[in-house]
């Protein structure tokens, strides 16, 4: 299963993990585009976007899939009345080709420009057909397939990212300063997917900016960076341990050099092959990036071909067999490798959307199966659209939600 979301001040993207993805802490790559890419979440509009058939087009915030066919999207209904924009939810049972209304929790929309309230949300994740969460920074849960939602208390901590697989869900809870964006302290929590019994995981509390969270084969992974100004600290921390918290987690040797301390992401296959990405200081719409592959759960790493410098890094995804890798983020095209990182490519079908990404509109993508994936772009003319691929990213087609 996969989840992605647009850039927001609390996290990156939610990562379920039957086939895995990443999340969004306010790292420099995200920060460079956040004021553009998330402003529409909280601002009111003077007119409601209408499709040619008169139906209102929704602005997609986040999406999650539990199989090739079944997924949910968290979206906004733009409008100019008091209390807008309104949080909406849609469900698909045909791989994203068609979407139907589904109940949404009575939560506020987390936006950029002011610190979101504890009840506000920006991301969605389902573990299976019954158990799901809407979060970031608040936390709401359903255990009946979305028919009803209940708010889960977090003791004042912000939920940054989630990942779920095989009956467990893990999350990073963060302490966020009231006058600044980005959570500089975090701890991993764990719960059974069927109940809201969250418990802290031993040896997982620390400082730094959470880049991504993923889970595979009962093992959770959290990628964290220490930004400049923290002398003596490693640039990247990679934590790993049992998702049920039965043993203390440990630090793995990170593959990234010290200078690559602005962004860090990790994704995993069901067989614990990992792909990690990291990036240096961004500037003028570009960022030097590195990518690495581990066939053994992070014990050893080999460097992959360097991804293109255009855009910022905030998302990584890898297919279950480990052959196709996606990297993307703020002001970035979708960079695809069909040979486990030996070469990187883009899709001509996304040229126009990639141009908008270069202009500052965040573009994030994930694979749900070996051949199927989806992308979300906020801003400009594509903000009411998702993009889907059914041939491993070679071609993509847009779908508009109503």
């Amino acid at each position: 299963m996969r989840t992605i979301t647009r850039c927001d001040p609390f996290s990156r993207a939610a990562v379920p993990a039957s086939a895995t993805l990443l999340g969004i802490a306010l790292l420099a790559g995200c920060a460079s585009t956040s004021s553009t890419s998330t402003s529409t979440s909280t601002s009111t509009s003077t007119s409601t976007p209408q499709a040619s058939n008169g139906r209102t087009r929704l602005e997609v915030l986040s999406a999650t899939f539990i199989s090739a066919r079944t997924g949910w999207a968290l979206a906004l209904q733009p409008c100019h009345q008091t209390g807008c924009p309104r949080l909406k939810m849609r469900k698909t049972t045909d791989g994203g080709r068609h979407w139907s209304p589904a109940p949404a929790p009575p939560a506020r929309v987390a936006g950029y420009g002011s610190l979101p309230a504890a009840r506000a949300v920006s991301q969605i994740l389902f573990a299976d057909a019954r158990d799901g969460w809407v979060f970031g920074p608040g936390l709401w849960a359903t255990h009946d397939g979305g028919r009803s939602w209940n708010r889960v208390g977090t003791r004042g901590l912000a939920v940054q990212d989630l990942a779920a697989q095989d009956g467990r869900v893990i999350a990073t809870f963060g302490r966020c300063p009231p006058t600044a964006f980005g959570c500089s302290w975090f701890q991993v929590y764990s719960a059974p997917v069927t109940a809201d019994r969250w418990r802290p995981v031993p040896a997982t509390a620390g400082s730094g900016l959470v880049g991504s969270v993923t889970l595979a084969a009962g093992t959770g992974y959290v990628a964290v960076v220490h930004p400049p100004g923290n002398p003596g600290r490693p640039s990247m921390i990679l934590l790993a341990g049992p998702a049920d918290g039965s043993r203390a987690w440990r630090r793995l040797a990170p593959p990234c050099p010290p200078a690559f301390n602005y962004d860090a992401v990790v994704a995993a296959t069901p067989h614990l092959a990992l792909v990690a990405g990291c990036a240096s200081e961004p500037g003028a719409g570009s960022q030097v990036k590195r990518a690495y592959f581990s066939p053994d759960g992070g014990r050893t790493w080999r460097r992959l071909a360097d991804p293109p410098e255009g855009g910022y890094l905030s998302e990584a995804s890898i297919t279950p067999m480990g052959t196709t890798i996606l990297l993307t983020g703020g002001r970035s095209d979708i960079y695809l490798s069909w040979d486990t990182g030996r070469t990187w490519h883009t899709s001509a079908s996304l040229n126009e959307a990639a141009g908008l990404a270069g202009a500052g509109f965040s573009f994030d993508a994930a694979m749900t199966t070996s051949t199927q994936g989806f992308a979300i772009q906020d801003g400009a003319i594509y903000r009411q659209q998702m993009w889907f691929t059914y041939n491993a990213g070679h071609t993509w087609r847009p779908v508009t939600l109503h």
Side-chain angles (χ1 to χ4, degrees), residues 2 221 236 238 252-256 265-278 290-307 316-327 337-344:
R2 296 285 186 188
Y221 295 88
M236 176 183 179
L238 188 57
L252 302 179
C256 298
V265 295
V266 64
T269 72
H271 306 293
L272 291 183
L274 305 181
V275 60
C278 48
R290 294 276 179 88
Y292 299 85
F293 180 81
S294 173
D296 50 18
R299 289 190 291 273
T300 61
W301 296 90
R302 65 176 173 86
R303 184 175 169 181
L304 305 180
D306 289 347
S317 182
I318 187 169
T319 52
M321 296 304 294
T323 53
T324 300
I325 300 171
L326 273 67
L327 296 177
S337 175
W338 296 294
D339 52 14
T340 318
R342 293 180 179 85
T343 59
W344 296 96

Side-chain angles (χ1 to χ4, degrees), residues 110 124 191 246:
I124 185 171
S246 57

Side-chain angles (χ1 to χ4, degrees), residues 6 38 40-42 61 74-77 83-88 106-112 114 116-117 119-122 136-137:
R6 296 173 4 177
T38 59
T40 53
S41 297
T42 54
L61 297 175
L74 192 67
L76 298 178
Q77 177 181 324
C84 291
R86 297 190 181 99
L87 189 66
K88 298 291 183 179
R108 292 177 55 188
V109 178
Y112 196 88
S114 60
R119 296 171 181 261
V121 295
S122 58

Side-chain angles (χ1 to χ4, degrees), residues 168 170 188-191 199-202 204 218 241-249:
R168 300 298 304 187
I170 61 173
V188 180
Y189 279 68
S190 175
R199 299 289 184 271
V201 174
T204 60
D244 60 4
S246 57
R247 297 190 308 278
W249 283 30

Side-chain angles (χ1 to χ4, degrees), residues 79-150:
C79 61
H80 61 274
Q81 289 113 0
T82 303
C84 291
R86 297 190 181 99
L87 189 66
K88 298 291 183 179
M89 192 173 296
R90 295 293 185 262
K91 183 178 180 180
T92 181
T93 57
D94 61 2
R97 295 171 177 85
H98 302 90
W99 296 80
S100 58
R108 292 177 55 188
V109 178
Y112 196 88
S114 60
L115 205 66
R119 296 171 181 261
V121 295
S122 58
Q123 305 178 51
I124 185 171
L125 167 68
F126 269 78
D128 51 47
R130 294 185 58 83
D131 303 294
W133 304 266
V134 172
F135 64 99
L139 181 61
W140 297 73
T142 181
H143 302 291
D144 57 11
R147 289 190 295 272
S148 63
W149 294 86
N150 64 281

